[in-house]
Amino acid sequence: MTQSGSAPTEGSNNNNDDNLESEMKRLATWTTGALLATFGTGALAADVVIGVPNWPSVRVTANVLKIVLEDNLGLDVELQNGSNPIVFEAMDTGAMQVHPEVWLPNQANLHNTFVKEKGTVAMNPNGIPADQAMCVTKGTAERTGIKSLSELSDPDMAANFDSDGDGMGEIWIGAAGWASTNVEKIRAKSYGYDQTMTLKEMDETLALAEVDAATDQNTNVVFFCYTPHHMFQLYDLVQLEEPPHDPAKWNVAQPTDDPNWLENSSAAMAWDKAYLHIHYQAAMDESAAAVLSKVNLTSDQVSAMVYALIVEEMDAEVFARKWVEENADQVDSWLN
């Protein structure tokens, strides 16, 4: 799932795994004091600190929540950047109070640890439906004839996506730090196209710039696609076909679950339906928790938010305030 603020990360999977292991070790040794030091002294002053991972929709949602809590409850609310594991760890210790958009099942390991096992984090039950897949532009589909994701394991098909002449095609699998990016590594290994395609990790803004360029220049491109997102409004996309999701055969682990997560996982099939949920610290301000438990947004609303932020280049806070004013009845339902 995007988000601004994530540095582009390309290169070997070993480097990415080392980075993940380092983050895991760092999280395991952090104390509450260390977390507060990391997030700055502002975290001590604010009544509510909202964590903001690195994708566009979460930035808009975070600003909407900030405005609603400040204007209606008189709370001092701050936004702090952080990856999914860091935000969950911070909610557990009290250094942060809110994660505006947790993707499930993507972050199921974090949800299970902090919501189900430890009970330090609560979940808003109103999930926003979402889809995840691999897409090509319509022009790419017409030029290459590709229909299914498994075809990328064929070197001849992969060659259609080789833009640098190194003998490997390229596919954007997501940004560094997204749980879905790890799952896409598993899916690439399971289908076999990790042997024919370079798995590119980079910030979503840069990845979509490549889609723009491919569209303008009539070149081929394949990439991770998901809803809610404005990309389906910008481009004529074709979702690659896959076998239907089978929970019995979807064997996916994250680095925090298993040091050999990639080797021990398999998922040669479509994603299951995903849902986006607000999560918040169970012990946070009761009035704020009551509001957060009632927030309810639609997939179309979130897509429109991201379109305004990315395509229309609106400031996230400015757009959020405009959205709150224009949707006063909906906001009132969260407050009552």
Side-chain angles (χ1 to χ4, degrees):
M1 280 76 272
T2 113
Q3 308 160 23
S4 62
S6 176
T9 303
E10 297 183 58
S12 69
N13 288 341
N14 289 336
N15 289 336
N16 293 325
D17 293 343
D18 290 343
N19 290 338
L20 286 167
E21 290 180 10
S22 297
E23 180 175 358
M24 291 161 55
K25 292 177 181 178
R26 183 167 64 252
L27 287 171
T29 58
W30 268 354
T31 62
T32 301
L35 280 166
L36 291 175
T38 299
F39 301 136
T41 56
L44 293 170
D47 298 310
V48 176
V49 178
I50 299 176
V52 187
N54 62 332
W55 59 91
S57 57
V58 76
R59 278 195 287 149
V60 185
T61 306
N63 276 278
V64 167
L65 297 179
K66 180 179 188 292
I67 291 167
V68 170
L69 296 178
E70 286 186 336
D71 289 359
N72 295 278
L73 302 183
L75 298 172
D76 180 21
V77 182
E78 290 191 1
L79 305 182
Q80 295 283 350
N81 293 335
S83 66
N84 290 308
I86 286 176
V87 175
F88 267 93
E89 183 77 12
M91 289 191 292
D92 179 60
T93 63
M96 288 185 180
Q97 282 70 46
V98 185
H99 189 314
E101 192 177 289
V102 176
W103 284 65
L104 295 176
N106 302 31
Q107 280 90 50
N109 59 329
L110 296 170
H111 173 88
N112 292 340
T113 297
F114 295 102
V115 177
K116 293 186 176 181
E117 297 174 13
K118 302 185 74 171
T120 54
V121 177
M123 181 187 77
N124 174 316
N126 301 318
I128 302 169
D131 294 297
Q132 301 169 94
M134 283 292 174
C135 287
V136 297
T137 59
K138 183 179 180 182
T140 297
E142 292 173 346
R143 285 187 296 270
T144 66
I146 190 170
K147 293 183 178 180
S148 65
L149 183 58
S150 62
E151 291 178 70
L152 291 177
S153 61
D154 180 348
D156 291 336
M157 178 59 75
N160 291 301
F161 301 92
D162 181 6
S163 66
D164 56 13
D166 68 350
M168 298 276 285
E170 297 98 38
I171 182 171
W172 179 60
I173 61 170
W178 294 3
S180 61
T181 303
N182 293 332
V183 177
E184 288 301 339
K185 292 179 184 178
I186 294 168
R187 281 158 39 84
K189 182 203 72 170
S190 302
Y191 279 112
Y193 60 81
D194 61 334
Q195 302 301 307
T196 58
M197 304 285 290
T198 297
L199 310 181
K200 298 175 65 174
E201 293 181 59
M202 64 169 67
D203 182 82
E204 183 178 273
T205 303
L206 297 178
L208 293 184
E210 291 191 348
V211 178
D212 277 333
T215 302
D216 292 341
Q217 300 166 15
N218 294 319
T219 55
N220 302 324
V221 63
V222 56
F223 55 97
F224 178 67
C225 54
Y226 62 95
T227 63
H229 200 286
H230 69 285
M231 68 175 74
F232 289 90
Q233 295 171 269
L234 286 180
Y235 314 112
D236 192 355
L237 301 183
V238 175
Q239 181 176 318
L240 296 181
E241 298 173 358
E242 300 184 63
H245 182 82
D246 182 350
K249 296 180 181 179
W250 182 268
N251 178 27
V252 169
Q254 290 287 338
T256 50
D257 302 324
D258 181 355
N260 299 316
W261 61 278
L262 183 57
E263 177 184 344
N264 294 334
S265 298
S266 61
M269 66 190 72
W271 284 83
D272 195 6
K273 191 76 174 180
Y275 292 89
L276 287 55
H277 294 266
I278 294 172
H279 282 54
Y280 52 92
Q281 184 192 19
M284 73 177 295
D285 178 272
E286 291 185 4
S287 60
V291 172
L292 293 170
S293 69
K294 297 176 184 177
V295 174
N296 198 349
L297 296 168
T298 68
S299 181
D300 286 344
Q301 284 179 322
V302 174
S303 291
M305 289 176 176
V306 178
Y307 188 90
L309 191 67
I310 303 301
V311 180
E312 299 176 345
E313 299 183 342
M314 290 190 67
D315 176 80
E317 183 177 359
V318 171
F319 174 79
R321 187 164 294 282
K322 178 175 179 288
W323 188 93
V324 169
E325 291 173 354
E326 294 177 350
N327 294 272
D329 291 343
Q330 185 173 352
V331 172
D332 285 344
S333 72
W334 307 344
L335 297 166
N336 299 320

